[in-house]
Structure formats: structure tokens, C-alpha cells
């Protein structure tokens, strides 16, 4: 039977949840074409950056969701291990 370090698993779950929040916090700064629209107006860069910012925002959101799922799973693992071992 594998050994599960409950405390370490909980700590890692907390750190992963924080990473998920960090990823979500990066969505707005990733919108370069929108935030720099004034500087990029009439520039060939804006039409190129706009689709990329959408993709980057989507990927950051997906990363945050995956990290949140991993954090919840690790919390569940720690809870179930604690219940099983007393």
C-alpha cells in the first residue's frame, strides 16, 4: 500500500490552489492588444495580437481550472487517507 503524507499533500494542495489564483490573475495583463489599444492604434501589430490575447486568456483560464481540479483532488486524497487511517 502506498504511503501518503497527509500534511505534505495538504500543503501541496494549498500551493497548487494559489498557483491557480495566480494564473487567473494573469488573464487581464495578458490582454495586451486591448490594454495597449491606444498605443497600437493604426498599427499592424494590433490585428495580430488581438487573436493571440484571446487564445492566451483562454489557456490561462484552462490552466487555472486544471490546477483547481488538482488541488481539490489532493485535498480529497488527504481527507480520505486521514479517514482511512484514523
Amino acid at each position: 500500500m502506498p504511503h501518503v503524507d497527509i500534511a505534505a499533500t495538504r500543503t501541496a494542495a494549498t500551493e497548487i490552489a494559489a498557483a491557480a489564483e495566480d494564473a487567473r490573475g494573469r488573464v487581464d495583463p495578458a490582454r495586451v492588444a486591448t490594454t495597449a489599444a491606444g498605443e497600437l492604434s493604426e498599427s499592424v501589430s494590433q490585428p495580430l495580437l488581438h487573436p493571440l490575447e484571446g487564445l492566451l486568456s483562454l489557456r490561462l483560464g484552462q490552466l487555472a481550472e486544471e490546477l483547481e481540479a488538482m488541488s481539490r483532488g489532493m485535498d480529497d486524497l488527504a481527507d480520505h487517507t486521514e479517514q482511512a487511517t484514523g
Side-chain angles (χ1 to χ4, degrees):
M1 179 174 203
H3 175 77
V4 175
D5 184 329
I6 296 168
T9 302
R10 288 189 196 284
T11 299
T14 300
E15 291 174 5
I16 291 170
E21 284 299 313
D22 287 345
R24 284 207 192 285
R26 303 281 182 217
V27 171
D28 283 339
R31 294 189 173 119
V32 178
T34 302
T35 57
E39 293 87 349
L40 295 173
S41 65
E42 299 182 29
S43 166
V44 295
S45 298
Q46 189 173 20
L48 296 173
L49 289 175
H50 195 69
L52 293 175
E53 85 173 10
L55 180 61
L56 181 56
S57 296
L58 174 68
R59 296 285 193 226
L60 284 169
Q62 290 172 331
L63 173 62
E65 288 175 15
E66 291 295 327
L67 289 169
E68 287 169 349
M70 180 181 256
S71 176
R72 283 191 306 273
M74 292 178 75
D75 275 333
D76 288 346
L77 174 63
D79 291 344
H80 294 289
T81 302
E82 189 172 56
Q83 290 171 357
T85 59

